[in-house]
Amino acid sequence: MSRKRRAHTSFDWIPVLDDNEEGQPLPDICIQHTRVDLDESGRSSSTTSFVPAPASPAKKTRTQYDDFNWNNEPAPLELNTTNYPFLDPAYQHFLDVNEPGPPLRYLRELIRLDGRGESGVAATCGLCQVEEPKLRCEECFSGLMFCAKCLVDLHACNPLHRIEHWNGNFFKHTTLKDVGLRIQLGHRVGERCSNPATATGDNFVVINTNGVHEVGLDYCDCETAQHRTTQLLHARWYPATPVTPNTAATFNILEYFHLLTFESKASVFEFLHALMRRTNNISITDVPDRYEEFLCMIREWRHLKMLKHAGRGHDPAGVSATAEGECAVLCPACPQPGKNLPENWRDAPKELQFLYSLLLGADANFRMVRKKVSSEENDPTLSPGWSYYCEVKKYSEHLATGLEKEERSTCVNHHAMKDANTSRSANLASSGIGTIDCIRHNFKRPNSIGDLQKGEKYINMDYLFLSSMSHTEFVCLTMSYDIACQWYLHLWERMLGFPQCLHIDLEGRTVTFLVPKFHLPAHVEKCQTAFSFNLTQGVGRMDGEAPERGWSDINPLSSQTKQMGSSLLRKIKNAVPERSEQVWSFLEFSKSLPADLVLKWSEMVERWEKDEDEINLFVATVTRVTQHGVRLALAQEDAANIEREGSVAIHDDISPAMLITLGLELESQQVRLKYDSGKLDGSATMLQLVKMQERKNSLRRRINTWTTIAPYNLPLHLPSSLPARVPCPPTLLKYELKLREAQCYEALNELHNHLRLRTHMYKYKNKNIVGQRANTRCQNMIHSVQEKVNASATKYRTARAALMKLSSHSLDDEGWRARLLTLDEEDIRPLKEGEEGESEGARTLSWIWKVVGVGGDSDNEGLQEALRIEWCRSRARAMRFSEEVLFLREEMRRVLAFLDWHAGWWDERRFRLTGLSRDEEEGVIAYASKQAHIRRSMRSTFDRIWCSSHELIQLGIGADNDILDLDYAAGADLLNTPPEELLA
Ligand SMILES: [Zn+2]
Ligand SMILES: [Zn+2]
Ligand SMILES: [Zn+2]
Ligand SMILES: [Zn+2]
Ligand SMILES: [Zn+2]
């Protein structure tokens, strides 16, 4: 969006011909004047002209400022840029404590205002010019002194200003009431009622943003007088009670506090105390304490605002007819049948149905506790189940039935962990709250919040879930919950124990249960694929974590709608290029594999997506070979050998497998030590050098010990490094061969991880790093990752060299040769990078990626499996991103449609009420029109900012979606609608 600037208005410059000291007119010079105009579209045009102007008069000499006067502008300060190179110049000025500097100048001005200023010399009132001026208003702009009568007259329209009285030496606070101001309600300003009725006790208190005011208040008590509280409300003062109130709060302060609770979470108590201090900071006890009253008013105010926003004041049926959940702000991007969905959404082809699916998440928050200080009976809610909370009575009635059966967990025992969270529930009425949110947009859903009594029990969460769904139409639902794998098992059975109105008819509907990404690693392996957002069709790019994020910022919900424009734009800007990359890399990957294999896997994975009981290609069946695994296998072999007694006993305590394993470990320690000591240069400290020497000594000792038990007497020679003529027991040779092979695989595996990390670091750097310092730090990290890449490569090469040597001892187990190739420098490249000189389309995978966890006898099985899993994951990633782009397009459409619908809804509410007074009717129409206007202007704002990414949205259709294999004919309007029409 281009920033629009107002065009500078041109001006006529009249040269003032000032005579200089010699009495001669100053010589003219030419001043360049450029005029810049901006038109509506933000394009600028400029015209340059030269204006003749007199030269500046000669600079006055510094001596004139010698007589320092703090009213004058001081000479600019020499900024000390060497001491504070990063400091804000404004603040730097303030660090200068020398005489003309701002701190002292500002301070003097603050103190000056404690006196009467220029009014101090005036003997008469600034207005009537007669009386002695003794009063000043702290808030009126003038700062002048007035007599009591004039000040009172001046404040007829500002009766809540704070004033002060000059007692001859200093100012003291006083009130307008004390100097004689009476506030007359029920009449026009300045008009006196013929039959005024002073507020009971004449001690009325008004709470306003600038303090707590005691005011002289008179109601109108004429024949035509309105109810007293109505008279207060007319003046935008909210009465604390409907009957003879003696406290009111201005609408201003209620609105202010309402906003503050969202932004700063200030408590009523703290807030009111700050106001009381503001009124009288010396003696707070002199200020009337209206805490209870304010608490009550705030509560009522929120309630009224909610009703107003929900249009309840525009409904002829009135407030009592409010339906359950009606006052909740709905998510404009979620599917809302009848509001933002096409009429035939239920008939959409099956594979497109996901676009209309609801994505919800359940969560519990144990920080929001409520102490046992009151109860629903003593302190009932004003809006039972009208917005986000479930209707409390029904909820607690159901909880009282206490139907909670212990269920055996088929996964980790999640409940044990959850209960650990909630041990401190002794004197709490509720130990937390549970909620159901839409996870794509983070909106709380109507009737979906409830108290938790003792931890996160199924009975609570079931109720919240069913209650949240009870007013919702859907065909597909994806439900995310951190223990979904357990919760869903008997959910529908448990549902039967709930009141009929909460039952969900599952006929023709699909409900998918998933576990949020962040929680998934805590689950058993089976859950990792069955409940994964990554591997599930039709969920786009979701992590399922919305509820947890939502707790940190519960902002006003209406502003959440306003943010939707920019957040959806940001999402689609990220998703479209990411989608293209994922699709490309999947296609490339597929190309590098044998076509028949890809075809076979495609069929298998599609079958699995349709039916979970089919073979799951994401799960590894071949166990990976690791050094640890081989060691274990060898130990078992040793044990078997000992039993057979045919083994070569090398040492009483040490088996051959142990010997080789120890040897390999010592060898790698040696390598590490060599590398580390190479890093120590001339700058190394004494301590570092000593430490290094200690490590060397210790390793030498261990190697010596190893040598004494080895059957040949040479310093750390593993069988592979023995010359061919030195005899070595074949068992040892065989063992080392196996361990070396495992070492190769491990090294390759490390290499994969480090290369992935390196790619990630580069990407991260390009995307996020600004500034030199951050850049250097990132570069250092990349450097250290590169060192790890090198180390893994060396490890592989060493291990492979040993393998070569071992085979020269004519060992026949040569299967490794086909799999473990020579590692050349150019082989070390990330998954997605081709060899140099290769064209994009012909990129091939480096062989290192095709060898993962090979094991057992069947050579190909392990390789195939690694590739298959990688391929399936790549496919899933590409599909999720493609879905995400379609999701975002649909959501953008839905938001616009929803705002349209809502604007129309408000339009329609303008003329529903009858029998109103003229004033009331105007208000009703004005408010509804304003609400409709807000929706429409929001819509056009979104439309405008989304226009900037029409191109991206255009990219959201077409070829890249082929991966989803959608039925284009059926979904033509959805998939191929050009953005202009989509957003029209
Ligand atoms: Zn006066
Ligand atoms: Zn004033
Ligand atoms: Zn009156
Ligand atoms: Zn939503
Ligand atoms: Zn699980």
Side-chain angles (χ1 to χ4, degrees), residues 63-81:
T63 50
Q64 279 173 296
Y65 295 112
D66 282 353
D67 185 10
F68 174 64
N69 174 345
W70 38 257
N71 265 334
N72 279 344
E73 201 54 41
L77 189 76
E78 287 283 319
L79 287 185
N80 186 347
T81 45

PDB file of all heavy atoms in Angstrom, residues 63-81:
ATOM      1  N   THR A  63      27.895  36.651  21.627  1.00  0.00           N
ATOM      2  CA  THR A  63      27.866  37.418  22.862  1.00  0.00           C
ATOM      3  C   THR A  63      26.454  37.782  23.283  1.00  0.00           C
ATOM      4  O   THR A  63      26.177  37.942  24.468  1.00  0.00           O
ATOM      5  CB  THR A  63      28.669  38.720  22.719  1.00  0.00           C
ATOM      6  OG1 THR A  63      28.237  39.369  21.532  1.00  0.00           O
ATOM      7  CG2 THR A  63      30.164  38.458  22.662  1.00  0.00           C
ATOM      8  N   GLN A  64      25.549  37.859  22.314  1.00  0.00           N
ATOM      9  CA  GLN A  64      24.199  38.250  22.675  1.00  0.00           C
ATOM     10  C   GLN A  64      23.499  37.212  23.551  1.00  0.00           C
ATOM     11  O   GLN A  64      22.536  37.510  24.208  1.00  0.00           O
ATOM     12  CB  GLN A  64      23.379  38.475  21.411  1.00  0.00           C
ATOM     13  CG  GLN A  64      23.660  39.852  20.818  1.00  0.00           C
ATOM     14  CD  GLN A  64      22.990  40.000  19.493  1.00  0.00           C
ATOM     15  OE1 GLN A  64      23.322  39.299  18.558  1.00  0.00           O
ATOM     16  NE2 GLN A  64      22.021  40.891  19.440  1.00  0.00           N
ATOM     17  N   TYR A  65      23.971  35.966  23.469  1.00  0.00           N
ATOM     18  CA  TYR A  65      23.324  34.910  24.261  1.00  0.00           C
ATOM     19  C   TYR A  65      23.973  34.745  25.631  1.00  0.00           C
ATOM     20  O   TYR A  65      23.580  33.898  26.408  1.00  0.00           O
ATOM     21  CB  TYR A  65      23.395  33.574  23.523  1.00  0.00           C
ATOM     22  CG  TYR A  65      22.604  33.580  22.240  1.00  0.00           C
ATOM     23  CD1 TYR A  65      23.229  33.514  21.000  1.00  0.00           C
ATOM     24  CD2 TYR A  65      21.206  33.667  22.298  1.00  0.00           C
ATOM     25  CE1 TYR A  65      22.492  33.541  19.840  1.00  0.00           C
ATOM     26  CE2 TYR A  65      20.468  33.696  21.127  1.00  0.00           C
ATOM     27  CZ  TYR A  65      21.118  33.637  19.892  1.00  0.00           C
ATOM     28  OH  TYR A  65      20.393  33.649  18.755  1.00  0.00           O
ATOM     29  N   ASP A  66      24.993  35.534  25.873  1.00  0.00           N
ATOM     30  CA  ASP A  66      25.737  35.315  27.114  1.00  0.00           C
ATOM     31  C   ASP A  66      24.852  35.434  28.342  1.00  0.00           C
ATOM     32  O   ASP A  66      24.960  34.671  29.289  1.00  0.00           O
ATOM     33  CB  ASP A  66      26.905  36.294  27.219  1.00  0.00           C
ATOM     34  CG  ASP A  66      28.048  35.851  26.347  1.00  0.00           C
ATOM     35  OD1 ASP A  66      27.949  34.729  25.781  1.00  0.00           O
ATOM     36  OD2 ASP A  66      29.011  36.594  26.230  1.00  0.00           O
ATOM     37  N   ASP A  67      23.959  36.395  28.263  1.00  0.00           N
ATOM     38  CA  ASP A  67      23.032  36.552  29.367  1.00  0.00           C
ATOM     39  C   ASP A  67      21.988  35.447  29.240  1.00  0.00           C
ATOM     40  O   ASP A  67      20.985  35.584  28.551  1.00  0.00           O
ATOM     41  CB  ASP A  67      22.398  37.941  29.264  1.00  0.00           C
ATOM     42  CG  ASP A  67      21.518  38.233  30.451  1.00  0.00           C
ATOM     43  OD1 ASP A  67      21.564  37.451  31.426  1.00  0.00           O
ATOM     44  OD2 ASP A  67      20.776  39.208  30.391  1.00  0.00           O
ATOM     45  N   PHE A  68      22.227  34.319  29.892  1.00  0.00           N
ATOM     46  CA  PHE A  68      21.399  33.129  29.629  1.00  0.00           C
ATOM     47  C   PHE A  68      19.942  33.292  30.072  1.00  0.00           C
ATOM     48  O   PHE A  68      19.656  33.691  31.193  1.00  0.00           O
ATOM     49  CB  PHE A  68      22.029  31.905  30.328  1.00  0.00           C
ATOM     50  CG  PHE A  68      21.169  30.707  30.230  1.00  0.00           C
ATOM     51  CD1 PHE A  68      20.880  30.129  28.995  1.00  0.00           C
ATOM     52  CD2 PHE A  68      20.587  30.173  31.363  1.00  0.00           C
ATOM     53  CE1 PHE A  68      20.057  29.041  28.906  1.00  0.00           C
ATOM     54  CE2 PHE A  68      19.770  29.080  31.262  1.00  0.00           C
ATOM     55  CZ  PHE A  68      19.499  28.527  30.041  1.00  0.00           C
ATOM     56  N   ASN A  69      19.067  32.943  29.185  1.00  0.00           N
ATOM     57  CA  ASN A  69      17.644  33.039  29.489  1.00  0.00           C
ATOM     58  C   ASN A  69      17.015  31.729  29.023  1.00  0.00           C
ATOM     59  O   ASN A  69      17.088  31.380  27.849  1.00  0.00           O
ATOM     60  CB  ASN A  69      17.071  34.235  28.718  1.00  0.00           C
ATOM     61  CG  ASN A  69      15.563  34.313  28.881  1.00  0.00           C
ATOM     62  OD1 ASN A  69      14.928  33.380  29.318  1.00  0.00           O
ATOM     63  ND2 ASN A  69      15.012  35.451  28.509  1.00  0.00           N
ATOM     64  N   TRP A  70      16.384  30.990  29.944  1.00  0.00           N
ATOM     65  CA  TRP A  70      15.942  29.650  29.565  1.00  0.00           C
ATOM     66  C   TRP A  70      14.743  29.658  28.643  1.00  0.00           C
ATOM     67  O   TRP A  70      14.243  28.640  28.228  1.00  0.00           O
ATOM     68  CB  TRP A  70      15.709  28.750  30.771  1.00  0.00           C
ATOM     69  CG  TRP A  70      15.095  29.413  31.971  1.00  0.00           C
ATOM     70  CD1 TRP A  70      15.750  29.791  33.093  1.00  0.00           C
ATOM     71  CD2 TRP A  70      13.741  29.783  32.147  1.00  0.00           C
ATOM     72  NE1 TRP A  70      14.910  30.381  33.959  1.00  0.00           N
ATOM     73  CE2 TRP A  70      13.643  30.387  33.413  1.00  0.00           C
ATOM     74  CE3 TRP A  70      12.596  29.684  31.364  1.00  0.00           C
ATOM     75  CZ2 TRP A  70      12.445  30.875  33.905  1.00  0.00           C
ATOM     76  CZ3 TRP A  70      11.412  30.163  31.861  1.00  0.00           C
ATOM     77  CH2 TRP A  70      11.349  30.765  33.123  1.00  0.00           C
ATOM     78  N   ASN A  71      14.232  30.820  28.336  1.00  0.00           N
ATOM     79  CA  ASN A  71      13.145  30.863  27.360  1.00  0.00           C
ATOM     80  C   ASN A  71      13.658  30.807  25.924  1.00  0.00           C
ATOM     81  O   ASN A  71      12.898  30.602  24.999  1.00  0.00           O
ATOM     82  CB  ASN A  71      12.327  32.137  27.532  1.00  0.00           C
ATOM     83  CG  ASN A  71      11.134  31.867  28.413  1.00  0.00           C
ATOM     84  OD1 ASN A  71      10.681  30.739  28.480  1.00  0.00           O
ATOM     85  ND2 ASN A  71      10.652  32.884  29.098  1.00  0.00           N
ATOM     86  N   ASN A  72      14.974  31.025  25.772  1.00  0.00           N
ATOM     87  CA  ASN A  72      15.535  31.046  24.421  1.00  0.00           C
ATOM     88  C   ASN A  72      15.973  29.651  23.987  1.00  0.00           C
ATOM     89  O   ASN A  72      16.320  28.815  24.800  1.00  0.00           O
ATOM     90  CB  ASN A  72      16.735  31.985  24.365  1.00  0.00           C
ATOM     91  CG  ASN A  72      16.277  33.414  24.234  1.00  0.00           C
ATOM     92  OD1 ASN A  72      15.120  33.665  23.901  1.00  0.00           O
ATOM     93  ND2 ASN A  72      17.179  34.326  24.529  1.00  0.00           N
ATOM     94  N   GLU A  73      15.971  29.439  22.696  1.00  0.00           N
ATOM     95  CA  GLU A  73      16.442  28.180  22.134  1.00  0.00           C
ATOM     96  C   GLU A  73      17.967  28.109  22.325  1.00  0.00           C
ATOM     97  O   GLU A  73      18.667  29.033  21.928  1.00  0.00           O
ATOM     98  CB  GLU A  73      16.080  28.181  20.647  1.00  0.00           C
ATOM     99  CG  GLU A  73      16.017  26.842  19.999  1.00  0.00           C
ATOM    100  CD  GLU A  73      15.103  25.877  20.733  1.00  0.00           C
ATOM    101  OE1 GLU A  73      13.999  26.294  21.198  1.00  0.00           O
ATOM    102  OE2 GLU A  73      15.487  24.720  20.838  1.00  0.00           O
ATOM    103  N   PRO A  74      18.507  27.089  22.935  1.00  0.00           N
ATOM    104  CA  PRO A  74      19.957  27.057  23.116  1.00  0.00           C
ATOM    105  C   PRO A  74      20.660  26.650  21.828  1.00  0.00           C
ATOM    106  O   PRO A  74      20.026  26.089  20.931  1.00  0.00           O
ATOM    107  CB  PRO A  74      20.150  25.986  24.185  1.00  0.00           C
ATOM    108  CG  PRO A  74      18.999  25.072  23.967  1.00  0.00           C
ATOM    109  CD  PRO A  74      17.875  25.892  23.439  1.00  0.00           C
ATOM    110  N   ALA A  75      21.956  26.924  21.775  1.00  0.00           N
ATOM    111  CA  ALA A  75      22.729  26.484  20.617  1.00  0.00           C
ATOM    112  C   ALA A  75      22.711  24.966  20.580  1.00  0.00           C
ATOM    113  O   ALA A  75      22.686  24.323  21.621  1.00  0.00           O
ATOM    114  CB  ALA A  75      24.164  26.983  20.759  1.00  0.00           C
ATOM    115  N   PRO A  76      22.669  24.372  19.359  1.00  0.00           N
ATOM    116  CA  PRO A  76      22.618  22.908  19.302  1.00  0.00           C
ATOM    117  C   PRO A  76      23.823  22.297  19.993  1.00  0.00           C
ATOM    118  O   PRO A  76      24.925  22.818  19.940  1.00  0.00           O
ATOM    119  CB  PRO A  76      22.618  22.606  17.811  1.00  0.00           C
ATOM    120  CG  PRO A  76      22.966  23.875  17.125  1.00  0.00           C
ATOM    121  CD  PRO A  76      22.693  25.000  18.061  1.00  0.00           C
ATOM    122  N   LEU A  77      23.559  21.189  20.627  1.00  0.00           N
ATOM    123  CA  LEU A  77      24.585  20.547  21.449  1.00  0.00           C
ATOM    124  C   LEU A  77      25.528  19.748  20.562  1.00  0.00           C
ATOM    125  O   LEU A  77      25.121  19.147  19.583  1.00  0.00           O
ATOM    126  CB  LEU A  77      23.857  19.611  22.412  1.00  0.00           C
ATOM    127  CG  LEU A  77      24.651  18.970  23.500  1.00  0.00           C
ATOM    128  CD1 LEU A  77      24.920  19.987  24.587  1.00  0.00           C
ATOM    129  CD2 LEU A  77      23.857  17.812  24.066  1.00  0.00           C
ATOM    130  N   GLU A  78      26.783  19.757  20.937  1.00  0.00           N
ATOM    131  CA  GLU A  78      27.738  18.869  20.267  1.00  0.00           C
ATOM    132  C   GLU A  78      27.429  17.447  20.733  1.00  0.00           C
ATOM    133  O   GLU A  78      27.578  17.133  21.910  1.00  0.00           O
ATOM    134  CB  GLU A  78      29.164  19.236  20.689  1.00  0.00           C
ATOM    135  CG  GLU A  78      29.693  20.519  20.083  1.00  0.00           C
ATOM    136  CD  GLU A  78      30.117  20.319  18.629  1.00  0.00           C
ATOM    137  OE1 GLU A  78      30.715  19.268  18.341  1.00  0.00           O
ATOM    138  OE2 GLU A  78      29.818  21.199  17.801  1.00  0.00           O
ATOM    139  N   LEU A  79      26.987  16.602  19.829  1.00  0.00           N
ATOM    140  CA  LEU A  79      26.600  15.261  20.273  1.00  0.00           C
ATOM    141  C   LEU A  79      27.829  14.404  20.491  1.00  0.00           C
ATOM    142  O   LEU A  79      28.750  14.368  19.674  1.00  0.00           O
ATOM    143  CB  LEU A  79      25.700  14.600  19.224  1.00  0.00           C
ATOM    144  CG  LEU A  79      24.297  15.177  19.161  1.00  0.00           C
ATOM    145  CD1 LEU A  79      23.476  14.378  18.183  1.00  0.00           C
ATOM    146  CD2 LEU A  79      23.642  15.156  20.526  1.00  0.00           C
ATOM    147  N   ASN A  80      27.818  13.733  21.600  1.00  0.00           N
ATOM    148  CA  ASN A  80      28.931  12.868  21.923  1.00  0.00           C
ATOM    149  C   ASN A  80      28.706  11.501  21.282  1.00  0.00           C
ATOM    150  O   ASN A  80      28.215  10.579  21.901  1.00  0.00           O
ATOM    151  CB  ASN A  80      29.022  12.756  23.442  1.00  0.00           C
ATOM    152  CG  ASN A  80      30.242  11.983  23.852  1.00  0.00           C
ATOM    153  OD1 ASN A  80      30.876  11.343  23.024  1.00  0.00           O
ATOM    154  ND2 ASN A  80      30.566  12.055  25.122  1.00  0.00           N
ATOM    155  N   THR A  81      29.052  11.406  20.003  1.00  0.00           N
ATOM    156  CA  THR A  81      28.748  10.153  19.288  1.00  0.00           C
ATOM    157  C   THR A  81      29.758   9.063  19.588  1.00  0.00           C
ATOM    158  O   THR A  81      29.534   7.910  19.265  1.00  0.00           O
ATOM    159  CB  THR A  81      28.726  10.387  17.768  1.00  0.00           C
ATOM    160  OG1 THR A  81      29.859  11.171  17.440  1.00  0.00           O
ATOM    161  CG2 THR A  81      27.465  11.058  17.329  1.00  0.00           C
TER     162      THR A  81
END
